[in-house]
Structure formats: C-alpha cells, structure tokens
PDB file of all heavy atoms in Angstrom:
ATOM      1  N   ASN A  27       1.318  50.569 -18.991  1.00 92.00           N
ATOM      2  CA  ASN A  27       0.980  49.825 -17.786  1.00 92.00           C
ATOM      3  C   ASN A  27       1.367  48.358 -17.952  1.00 92.00           C
ATOM      4  O   ASN A  27       1.209  47.771 -19.023  1.00 92.00           O
ATOM      5  CB  ASN A  27      -0.514  49.934 -17.487  1.00 92.00           C
ATOM      6  CG  ASN A  27      -0.928  51.354 -17.162  1.00 92.00           C
ATOM      7  OD1 ASN A  27      -0.139  52.120 -16.615  1.00 92.00           O
ATOM      8  ND2 ASN A  27      -2.155  51.714 -17.486  1.00 92.00           N
ATOM      9  N   THR A  28       1.869  47.767 -16.899  1.00 91.00           N
ATOM     10  CA  THR A  28       2.343  46.386 -16.945  1.00 91.00           C
ATOM     11  C   THR A  28       1.177  45.411 -16.903  1.00 91.00           C
ATOM     12  O   THR A  28       0.282  45.531 -16.060  1.00 91.00           O
ATOM     13  CB  THR A  28       3.303  46.108 -15.784  1.00 91.00           C
ATOM     14  OG1 THR A  28       4.408  47.023 -15.857  1.00 91.00           O
ATOM     15  CG2 THR A  28       3.837  44.686 -15.847  1.00 91.00           C
ATOM     16  N   VAL A  29       1.185  44.467 -17.834  1.00 90.00           N
ATOM     17  CA  VAL A  29       0.193  43.391 -17.865  1.00 90.00           C
ATOM     18  C   VAL A  29       0.883  42.125 -17.362  1.00 90.00           C
ATOM     19  O   VAL A  29       1.871  41.675 -17.944  1.00 90.00           O
ATOM     20  CB  VAL A  29      -0.362  43.180 -19.289  1.00 90.00           C
ATOM     21  CG1 VAL A  29      -1.325  41.996 -19.324  1.00 90.00           C
ATOM     22  CG2 VAL A  29      -1.056  44.439 -19.772  1.00 90.00           C
ATOM     23  N   THR A  30       0.372  41.543 -16.296  1.00 89.00           N
ATOM     24  CA  THR A  30       0.985  40.372 -15.673  1.00 89.00           C
ATOM     25  C   THR A  30       0.226  39.108 -16.068  1.00 89.00           C
ATOM     26  O   THR A  30      -1.000  39.063 -15.976  1.00 89.00           O
ATOM     27  CB  THR A  30       1.008  40.512 -14.148  1.00 89.00           C
ATOM     28  OG1 THR A  30       1.707  41.729 -13.799  1.00 89.00           O
ATOM     29  CG2 THR A  30       1.709  39.333 -13.502  1.00 89.00           C
ATOM     30  N   ILE A  31       0.985  38.112 -16.508  1.00 83.00           N
ATOM     31  CA  ILE A  31       0.411  36.802 -16.844  1.00 83.00           C
ATOM     32  C   ILE A  31       0.919  35.807 -15.824  1.00 83.00           C
ATOM     33  O   ILE A  31       2.118  35.534 -15.746  1.00 83.00           O
ATOM     34  CB  ILE A  31       0.808  36.365 -18.265  1.00 83.00           C
ATOM     35  CG1 ILE A  31       0.373  37.408 -19.290  1.00 83.00           C
ATOM     36  CG2 ILE A  31       0.216  35.009 -18.601  1.00 83.00           C
ATOM     37  CD1 ILE A  31       0.782  37.062 -20.689  1.00 83.00           C
ATOM     38  N   GLU A  32       0.011  35.258 -15.034  1.00 78.00           N
ATOM     39  CA  GLU A  32       0.354  34.252 -14.035  1.00 78.00           C
ATOM     40  C   GLU A  32      -0.361  32.970 -14.407  1.00 78.00           C
ATOM     41  O   GLU A  32      -1.588  32.870 -14.287  1.00 78.00           O
ATOM     42  CB  GLU A  32      -0.029  34.706 -12.636  1.00 78.00           C
ATOM     43  CG  GLU A  32       0.736  35.928 -12.156  1.00 78.00           C
ATOM     44  CD  GLU A  32       0.350  36.355 -10.761  1.00 78.00           C
ATOM     45  OE1 GLU A  32      -0.604  35.760 -10.212  1.00 78.00           O
ATOM     46  OE2 GLU A  32       0.994  37.259 -10.220  1.00 78.00           O
ATOM     47  N   GLN A  33       0.400  31.986 -14.851  1.00 64.00           N
ATOM     48  CA  GLN A  33      -0.189  30.722 -15.258  1.00 64.00           C
ATOM     49  C   GLN A  33      -0.551  29.895 -14.036  1.00 64.00           C
ATOM     50  O   GLN A  33       0.124  29.938 -13.006  1.00 64.00           O
ATOM     51  CB  GLN A  33       0.783  29.944 -16.159  1.00 64.00           C
ATOM     52  CG  GLN A  33       1.208  30.718 -17.396  1.00 64.00           C
ATOM     53  CD  GLN A  33       0.041  31.026 -18.295  1.00 64.00           C
ATOM     54  OE1 GLN A  33      -0.894  30.242 -18.383  1.00 64.00           O
ATOM     55  NE2 GLN A  33       0.090  32.157 -18.972  1.00 64.00           N
ATOM     56  N   SER A  34      -1.612  29.070 -14.139  1.00 57.00           N
ATOM     57  CA  SER A  34      -2.088  28.237 -13.025  1.00 57.00           C
ATOM     58  C   SER A  34      -1.673  26.785 -13.193  1.00 57.00           C
ATOM     59  O   SER A  34      -2.281  25.890 -12.630  1.00 57.00           O
ATOM     60  CB  SER A  34      -3.622  28.312 -12.944  1.00 57.00           C
ATOM     61  OG  SER A  34      -4.206  27.886 -14.165  1.00 57.00           O
ATOM     62  N   PHE A  35      -0.610  26.544 -13.992  1.00 48.00           N
ATOM     63  CA  PHE A  35      -0.206  25.173 -14.233  1.00 48.00           C
ATOM     64  C   PHE A  35       0.322  24.518 -12.965  1.00 48.00           C
ATOM     65  O   PHE A  35       0.126  23.323 -12.753  1.00 48.00           O
ATOM     66  CB  PHE A  35       0.870  25.142 -15.319  1.00 48.00           C
ATOM     67  CG  PHE A  35       0.342  25.507 -16.684  1.00 48.00           C
ATOM     68  CD1 PHE A  35       0.419  26.808 -17.156  1.00 48.00           C
ATOM     69  CD2 PHE A  35      -0.256  24.552 -17.472  1.00 48.00           C
ATOM     70  CE1 PHE A  35      -0.069  27.140 -18.405  1.00 48.00           C
ATOM     71  CE2 PHE A  35      -0.742  24.877 -18.715  1.00 48.00           C
ATOM     72  CZ  PHE A  35      -0.660  26.166 -19.186  1.00 48.00           C
ATOM     73  N   ASP A  36       0.992  25.236 -12.107  1.00 49.00           N
ATOM     74  CA  ASP A  36       1.510  24.654 -10.881  1.00 49.00           C
ATOM     75  C   ASP A  36       0.383  24.158  -9.991  1.00 49.00           C
ATOM     76  O   ASP A  36       0.443  23.075  -9.416  1.00 49.00           O
ATOM     77  CB  ASP A  36       2.363  25.677 -10.136  1.00 49.00           C
ATOM     78  CG  ASP A  36       3.646  25.984 -10.900  1.00 49.00           C
ATOM     79  OD1 ASP A  36       4.050  25.143 -11.729  1.00 49.00           O
ATOM     80  OD2 ASP A  36       4.219  27.055 -10.654  1.00 49.00           O
ATOM     81  N   THR A  37      -0.675  24.938  -9.845  1.00 48.00           N
ATOM     82  CA  THR A  37      -1.809  24.536  -9.021  1.00 48.00           C
ATOM     83  C   THR A  37      -2.489  23.307  -9.588  1.00 48.00           C
ATOM     84  O   THR A  37      -2.876  22.384  -8.873  1.00 48.00           O
ATOM     85  CB  THR A  37      -2.814  25.705  -8.916  1.00 48.00           C
ATOM     86  OG1 THR A  37      -2.135  26.847  -8.421  1.00 48.00           O
ATOM     87  CG2 THR A  37      -3.959  25.349  -8.006  1.00 48.00           C
ATOM     88  N   VAL A  38      -2.648  23.276 -10.903  1.00 52.00           N
ATOM     89  CA  VAL A  38      -3.289  22.128 -11.537  1.00 52.00           C
ATOM     90  C   VAL A  38      -2.460  20.880 -11.327  1.00 52.00           C
ATOM     91  O   VAL A  38      -2.987  19.798 -11.034  1.00 52.00           O
ATOM     92  CB  VAL A  38      -3.489  22.405 -13.041  1.00 52.00           C
ATOM     93  CG1 VAL A  38      -3.998  21.157 -13.747  1.00 52.00           C
ATOM     94  CG2 VAL A  38      -4.478  23.545 -13.236  1.00 52.00           C
ATOM     95  N   ASN A  39      -1.165  20.975 -11.451  1.00 62.00           N
ATOM     96  CA  ASN A  39      -0.308  19.813 -11.262  1.00 62.00           C
ATOM     97  C   ASN A  39      -0.406  19.270  -9.848  1.00 62.00           C
ATOM     98  O   ASN A  39      -0.446  18.061  -9.644  1.00 62.00           O
ATOM     99  CB  ASN A  39       1.140  20.187 -11.590  1.00 62.00           C
ATOM    100  CG  ASN A  39       1.350  20.394 -13.082  1.00 62.00           C
ATOM    101  OD1 ASN A  39       0.580  19.884 -13.887  1.00 62.00           O
ATOM    102  ND2 ASN A  39       2.383  21.138 -13.440  1.00 62.00           N
ATOM    103  N   VAL A  40      -0.423  20.148  -8.869  1.00 68.00           N
ATOM    104  CA  VAL A  40      -0.544  19.705  -7.484  1.00 68.00           C
ATOM    105  C   VAL A  40      -1.868  18.998  -7.265  1.00 68.00           C
ATOM    106  O   VAL A  40      -1.941  17.939  -6.626  1.00 68.00           O
ATOM    107  CB  VAL A  40      -0.388  20.905  -6.529  1.00 68.00           C
ATOM    108  CG1 VAL A  40      -0.733  20.494  -5.104  1.00 68.00           C
ATOM    109  CG2 VAL A  40       1.023  21.462  -6.591  1.00 68.00           C
ATOM    110  N   THR A  41      -2.951  19.534  -7.814  1.00 72.00           N
ATOM    111  CA  THR A  41      -4.265  18.918  -7.659  1.00 72.00           C
ATOM    112  C   THR A  41      -4.305  17.533  -8.304  1.00 72.00           C
ATOM    113  O   THR A  41      -4.816  16.565  -7.720  1.00 72.00           O
ATOM    114  CB  THR A  41      -5.340  19.817  -8.282  1.00 72.00           C
ATOM    115  OG1 THR A  41      -5.259  21.115  -7.693  1.00 72.00           O
ATOM    116  CG2 THR A  41      -6.719  19.242  -8.056  1.00 72.00           C
ATOM    117  N   VAL A  42      -3.763  17.436  -9.500  1.00 76.00           N
ATOM    118  CA  VAL A  42      -3.751  16.143 -10.190  1.00 76.00           C
ATOM    119  C   VAL A  42      -2.920  15.129  -9.420  1.00 76.00           C
ATOM    120  O   VAL A  42      -3.312  13.960  -9.273  1.00 76.00           O
ATOM    121  CB  VAL A  42      -3.223  16.324 -11.625  1.00 76.00           C
ATOM    122  CG1 VAL A  42      -3.000  14.973 -12.287  1.00 76.00           C
ATOM    123  CG2 VAL A  42      -4.196  17.154 -12.446  1.00 76.00           C
ATOM    124  N   ILE A  43      -1.792  15.570  -8.917  1.00 80.00           N
ATOM    125  CA  ILE A  43      -0.928  14.646  -8.171  1.00 80.00           C
ATOM    126  C   ILE A  43      -1.632  14.136  -6.914  1.00 80.00           C
ATOM    127  O   ILE A  43      -1.572  12.942  -6.584  1.00 80.00           O
ATOM    128  CB  ILE A  43       0.398  15.346  -7.820  1.00 80.00           C
ATOM    129  CG1 ILE A  43       1.218  15.584  -9.090  1.00 80.00           C
ATOM    130  CG2 ILE A  43       1.200  14.520  -6.823  1.00 80.00           C
ATOM    131  CD1 ILE A  43       2.468  16.400  -8.869  1.00 80.00           C
ATOM    132  N   VAL A  44      -2.324  15.013  -6.210  1.00 79.00           N
ATOM    133  CA  VAL A  44      -3.040  14.593  -4.996  1.00 79.00           C
ATOM    134  C   VAL A  44      -4.140  13.609  -5.334  1.00 79.00           C
ATOM    135  O   VAL A  44      -4.328  12.585  -4.655  1.00 79.00           O
ATOM    136  CB  VAL A  44      -3.592  15.831  -4.262  1.00 79.00           C
ATOM    137  CG1 VAL A  44      -4.518  15.412  -3.127  1.00 79.00           C
ATOM    138  CG2 VAL A  44      -2.442  16.675  -3.717  1.00 79.00           C
ATOM    139  N   LEU A  45      -4.909  13.900  -6.402  1.00 80.00           N
ATOM    140  CA  LEU A  45      -5.983  12.992  -6.786  1.00 80.00           C
ATOM    141  C   LEU A  45      -5.446  11.630  -7.199  1.00 80.00           C
ATOM    142  O   LEU A  45      -6.030  10.583  -6.851  1.00 80.00           O
ATOM    143  CB  LEU A  45      -6.787  13.612  -7.934  1.00 80.00           C
ATOM    144  CG  LEU A  45      -7.625  14.848  -7.575  1.00 80.00           C
ATOM    145  CD1 LEU A  45      -8.303  15.396  -8.814  1.00 80.00           C
ATOM    146  CD2 LEU A  45      -8.655  14.504  -6.507  1.00 80.00           C
ATOM    147  N   ILE A  46      -4.351  11.617  -7.939  1.00 83.00           N
ATOM    148  CA  ILE A  46      -3.775  10.347  -8.349  1.00 83.00           C
ATOM    149  C   ILE A  46      -3.248   9.577  -7.145  1.00 83.00           C
ATOM    150  O   ILE A  46      -3.431   8.351  -7.024  1.00 83.00           O
ATOM    151  CB  ILE A  46      -2.653  10.583  -9.375  1.00 83.00           C
ATOM    152  CG1 ILE A  46      -3.254  11.120 -10.689  1.00 83.00           C
ATOM    153  CG2 ILE A  46      -1.874   9.308  -9.642  1.00 83.00           C
ATOM    154  CD1 ILE A  46      -2.224  11.487 -11.724  1.00 83.00           C
ATOM    155  N   ALA A  47      -2.591  10.301  -6.227  1.00 82.00           N
ATOM    156  CA  ALA A  47      -2.022   9.634  -5.055  1.00 82.00           C
ATOM    157  C   ALA A  47      -3.089   9.001  -4.172  1.00 82.00           C
ATOM    158  O   ALA A  47      -2.875   7.942  -3.571  1.00 82.00           O
ATOM    159  CB  ALA A  47      -1.189  10.629  -4.256  1.00 82.00           C
ATOM    160  N   LEU A  48      -4.242   9.630  -4.088  1.00 82.00           N
ATOM    161  CA  LEU A  48      -5.320   9.079  -3.253  1.00 82.00           C
ATOM    162  C   LEU A  48      -6.218   8.127  -4.026  1.00 82.00           C
ATOM    163  O   LEU A  48      -6.759   7.178  -3.450  1.00 82.00           O
ATOM    164  CB  LEU A  48      -6.159  10.227  -2.682  1.00 82.00           C
ATOM    165  CG  LEU A  48      -5.433  11.179  -1.724  1.00 82.00           C
ATOM    166  CD1 LEU A  48      -6.372  12.267  -1.261  1.00 82.00           C
ATOM    167  CD2 LEU A  48      -4.864  10.417  -0.528  1.00 82.00           C
ATOM    168  N   GLY A  49      -6.406   8.372  -5.296  1.00 83.00           N
ATOM    169  CA  GLY A  49      -7.370   7.570  -6.057  1.00 83.00           C
ATOM    170  C   GLY A  49      -6.860   6.219  -6.466  1.00 83.00           C
ATOM    171  O   GLY A  49      -7.586   5.206  -6.360  1.00 83.00           O
ATOM    172  N   ILE A  50      -5.626   6.127  -6.930  1.00 85.00           N
ATOM    173  CA  ILE A  50      -5.108   4.847  -7.420  1.00 85.00           C
ATOM    174  C   ILE A  50      -5.040   3.784  -6.323  1.00 85.00           C
ATOM    175  O   ILE A  50      -5.473   2.641  -6.530  1.00 85.00           O
ATOM    176  CB  ILE A  50      -3.730   5.060  -8.081  1.00 85.00           C
ATOM    177  CG1 ILE A  50      -3.909   5.827  -9.399  1.00 85.00           C
ATOM    178  CG2 ILE A  50      -3.036   3.734  -8.338  1.00 85.00           C
ATOM    179  CD1 ILE A  50      -2.624   6.081 -10.135  1.00 85.00           C
ATOM    180  N   PRO A  51      -4.539   4.094  -5.127  1.00 83.00           N
ATOM    181  CA  PRO A  51      -4.544   3.049  -4.082  1.00 83.00           C
ATOM    182  C   PRO A  51      -5.952   2.573  -3.727  1.00 83.00           C
ATOM    183  O   PRO A  51      -6.160   1.377  -3.476  1.00 83.00           O
ATOM    184  CB  PRO A  51      -3.875   3.743  -2.894  1.00 83.00           C
ATOM    185  CG  PRO A  51      -3.029   4.802  -3.507  1.00 83.00           C
ATOM    186  CD  PRO A  51      -3.799   5.281  -4.673  1.00 83.00           C
ATOM    187  N   MET A  52      -6.914   3.466  -3.696  1.00 84.00           N
ATOM    188  CA  MET A  52      -8.275   3.050  -3.374  1.00 84.00           C
ATOM    189  C   MET A  52      -8.843   2.121  -4.445  1.00 84.00           C
ATOM    190  O   MET A  52      -9.520   1.135  -4.141  1.00 84.00           O
ATOM    191  CB  MET A  52      -9.156   4.292  -3.224  1.00 84.00           C
ATOM    192  CG  MET A  52      -8.761   5.211  -2.082  1.00 84.00           C
ATOM    193  SD  MET A  52      -8.893   4.406  -0.470  1.00 84.00           S
ATOM    194  CE  MET A  52     -10.672   4.200  -0.364  1.00 84.00           C
ATOM    195  N   ILE A  53      -8.558   2.436  -5.723  1.00 86.00           N
ATOM    196  CA  ILE A  53      -9.047   1.574  -6.797  1.00 86.00           C
ATOM    197  C   ILE A  53      -8.387   0.201  -6.734  1.00 86.00           C
ATOM    198  O   ILE A  53      -9.052  -0.848  -6.875  1.00 86.00           O
ATOM    199  CB  ILE A  53      -8.775   2.248  -8.155  1.00 86.00           C
ATOM    200  CG1 ILE A  53      -9.607   3.533  -8.269  1.00 86.00           C
ATOM    201  CG2 ILE A  53      -9.098   1.307  -9.306  1.00 86.00           C
ATOM    202  CD1 ILE A  53      -9.299   4.335  -9.507  1.00 86.00           C
ATOM    203  N   LEU A  54      -7.088   0.162  -6.498  1.00 82.00           N
ATOM    204  CA  LEU A  54      -6.396  -1.126  -6.396  1.00 82.00           C
ATOM    205  C   LEU A  54      -6.892  -1.940  -5.211  1.00 82.00           C
ATOM    206  O   LEU A  54      -7.043  -3.176  -5.304  1.00 82.00           O
ATOM    207  CB  LEU A  54      -4.888  -0.885  -6.275  1.00 82.00           C
ATOM    208  CG  LEU A  54      -4.215  -0.265  -7.509  1.00 82.00           C
ATOM    209  CD1 LEU A  54      -2.731  -0.004  -7.219  1.00 82.00           C
ATOM    210  CD2 LEU A  54      -4.370  -1.173  -8.719  1.00 82.00           C
ATOM    211  N   LEU A  55      -7.170  -1.279  -4.104  1.00 79.00           N
ATOM    212  CA  LEU A  55      -7.678  -1.994  -2.933  1.00 79.00           C
ATOM    213  C   LEU A  55      -9.047  -2.592  -3.216  1.00 79.00           C
ATOM    214  O   LEU A  55      -9.339  -3.731  -2.830  1.00 79.00           O
ATOM    215  CB  LEU A  55      -7.738  -1.036  -1.737  1.00 79.00           C
ATOM    216  CG  LEU A  55      -8.262  -1.633  -0.420  1.00 79.00           C
ATOM    217  CD1 LEU A  55      -7.359  -2.775   0.035  1.00 79.00           C
ATOM    218  CD2 LEU A  55      -8.339  -0.551   0.644  1.00 79.00           C
ATOM    219  N   ALA A  56      -9.886  -1.836  -3.901  1.00 77.00           N
ATOM    220  CA  ALA A  56     -11.221  -2.355  -4.220  1.00 77.00           C
ATOM    221  C   ALA A  56     -11.135  -3.561  -5.157  1.00 77.00           C
ATOM    222  O   ALA A  56     -11.838  -4.564  -4.976  1.00 77.00           O
ATOM    223  CB  ALA A  56     -12.058  -1.243  -4.844  1.00 77.00           C
ATOM    224  N   LEU A  57     -10.266  -3.487  -6.171  1.00 77.00           N
ATOM    225  CA  LEU A  57     -10.117  -4.620  -7.084  1.00 77.00           C
ATOM    226  C   LEU A  57      -9.577  -5.847  -6.370  1.00 77.00           C
ATOM    227  O   LEU A  57     -10.017  -6.996  -6.618  1.00 77.00           O
ATOM    228  CB  LEU A  57      -9.183  -4.229  -8.228  1.00 77.00           C
ATOM    229  CG  LEU A  57      -9.717  -3.178  -9.206  1.00 77.00           C
ATOM    230  CD1 LEU A  57      -8.642  -2.812 -10.225  1.00 77.00           C
ATOM    231  CD2 LEU A  57     -10.966  -3.689  -9.911  1.00 77.00           C
ATOM    232  N   LEU A  58      -8.637  -5.630  -5.468  1.00 73.00           N
ATOM    233  CA  LEU A  58      -8.080  -6.742  -4.717  1.00 73.00           C
ATOM    234  C   LEU A  58      -9.136  -7.423  -3.862  1.00 73.00           C
ATOM    235  O   LEU A  58      -9.202  -8.672  -3.786  1.00 73.00           O
ATOM    236  CB  LEU A  58      -6.916  -6.244  -3.851  1.00 73.00           C
ATOM    237  CG  LEU A  58      -6.203  -7.298  -3.002  1.00 73.00           C
ATOM    238  CD1 LEU A  58      -5.529  -8.338  -3.915  1.00 73.00           C
ATOM    239  CD2 LEU A  58      -5.155  -6.636  -2.118  1.00 73.00           C
ATOM    240  N   MET A  59      -9.964  -6.659  -3.227  1.00 70.00           N
ATOM    241  CA  MET A  59     -11.021  -7.247  -2.397  1.00 70.00           C
ATOM    242  C   MET A  59     -12.041  -7.999  -3.244  1.00 70.00           C
ATOM    243  O   MET A  59     -12.555  -9.035  -2.841  1.00 70.00           O
ATOM    244  CB  MET A  59     -11.700  -6.130  -1.597  1.00 70.00           C
ATOM    245  CG  MET A  59     -10.798  -5.472  -0.566  1.00 70.00           C
ATOM    246  SD  MET A  59     -11.618  -4.144   0.323  1.00 70.00           S
ATOM    247  CE  MET A  59     -12.847  -5.080   1.229  1.00 70.00           C
ATOM    248  N   VAL A  60     -12.326  -7.507  -4.427  1.00 65.00           N
ATOM    249  CA  VAL A  60     -13.290  -8.201  -5.285  1.00 65.00           C
ATOM    250  C   VAL A  60     -12.749  -9.540  -5.752  1.00 65.00           C
ATOM    251  O   VAL A  60     -13.445 -10.558  -5.740  1.00 65.00           O
ATOM    252  CB  VAL A  60     -13.649  -7.314  -6.485  1.00 65.00           C
ATOM    253  CG1 VAL A  60     -14.423  -8.098  -7.532  1.00 65.00           C
ATOM    254  CG2 VAL A  60     -14.484  -6.138  -6.019  1.00 65.00           C
ATOM    255  N   PHE A  61     -11.481  -9.578  -6.143  1.00 68.00           N
ATOM    256  CA  PHE A  61     -10.915 -10.837  -6.637  1.00 68.00           C
ATOM    257  C   PHE A  61     -10.720 -11.860  -5.524  1.00 68.00           C
ATOM    258  O   PHE A  61     -10.882 -13.061  -5.741  1.00 68.00           O
ATOM    259  CB  PHE A  61      -9.580 -10.564  -7.333  1.00 68.00           C
ATOM    260  CG  PHE A  61      -9.741  -9.966  -8.696  1.00 68.00           C
ATOM    261  CD1 PHE A  61      -9.291  -8.692  -8.965  1.00 68.00           C
ATOM    262  CD2 PHE A  61     -10.361 -10.674  -9.717  1.00 68.00           C
ATOM    263  CE1 PHE A  61      -9.434  -8.138 -10.215  1.00 68.00           C
ATOM    264  CE2 PHE A  61     -10.522 -10.118 -10.969  1.00 68.00           C
ATOM    265  CZ  PHE A  61     -10.066  -8.850 -11.236  1.00 68.00           C
ATOM    266  N   ARG A  62     -10.376 -11.412  -4.354  1.00 64.00           N
ATOM    267  CA  ARG A  62     -10.125 -12.347  -3.265  1.00 64.00           C
ATOM    268  C   ARG A  62     -11.405 -12.786  -2.569  1.00 64.00           C
ATOM    269  O   ARG A  62     -11.458 -13.853  -1.987  1.00 64.00           O
ATOM    270  CB  ARG A  62      -9.168 -11.733  -2.242  1.00 64.00           C
ATOM    271  CG  ARG A  62      -7.770 -11.485  -2.821  1.00 64.00           C
ATOM    272  CD  ARG A  62      -6.768 -11.222  -1.750  1.00 64.00           C
ATOM    273  NE  ARG A  62      -6.663 -12.353  -0.824  1.00 64.00           N
ATOM    274  CZ  ARG A  62      -5.839 -12.377   0.220  1.00 64.00           C
ATOM    275  NH1 ARG A  62      -5.047 -11.324   0.465  1.00 64.00           N
ATOM    276  NH2 ARG A  62      -5.794 -13.427   1.026  1.00 64.00           N
TER     277      ARG A  62
END
C-alpha cells in the first residue's frame, strides 16, 4: 500500500510571510509615532 508524505512547509511559509508583511509595518509605524 502506498504511504503518502505531504509536507506542510508551503503553508507555513505563506503564514510567516503574511505575518511579517502585516506586522513589520505596524511596528515601524508605532515606533515612528513614539519618537515624533
């Protein structure tokens, strides 16, 4: 019987990319407002 291995690395990469894309601008905006 065939045993199938499907890795979830693609899903993890997409999730990390989305979090980085949304999180970094928000952090930079908050720091900018604090300094100014």
Side-chain angles (χ1 to χ4, degrees):
N27 295 329
T28 302
V29 176
T30 303
I31 303 178
E32 296 180 354
Q33 303 297 327
S34 58
F35 291 94
D36 292 338
T37 304
V38 173
N39 289 338
V40 171
T41 304
V42 171
I43 291 174
V44 171
L45 291 177
I46 292 175
L48 296 179
I50 290 180
M52 297 298 293
I53 294 174
L54 294 177
L55 180 61
L57 292 176
L58 181 64
M59 294 179 67
V60 169
F61 284 115
R62 295 195 60 180

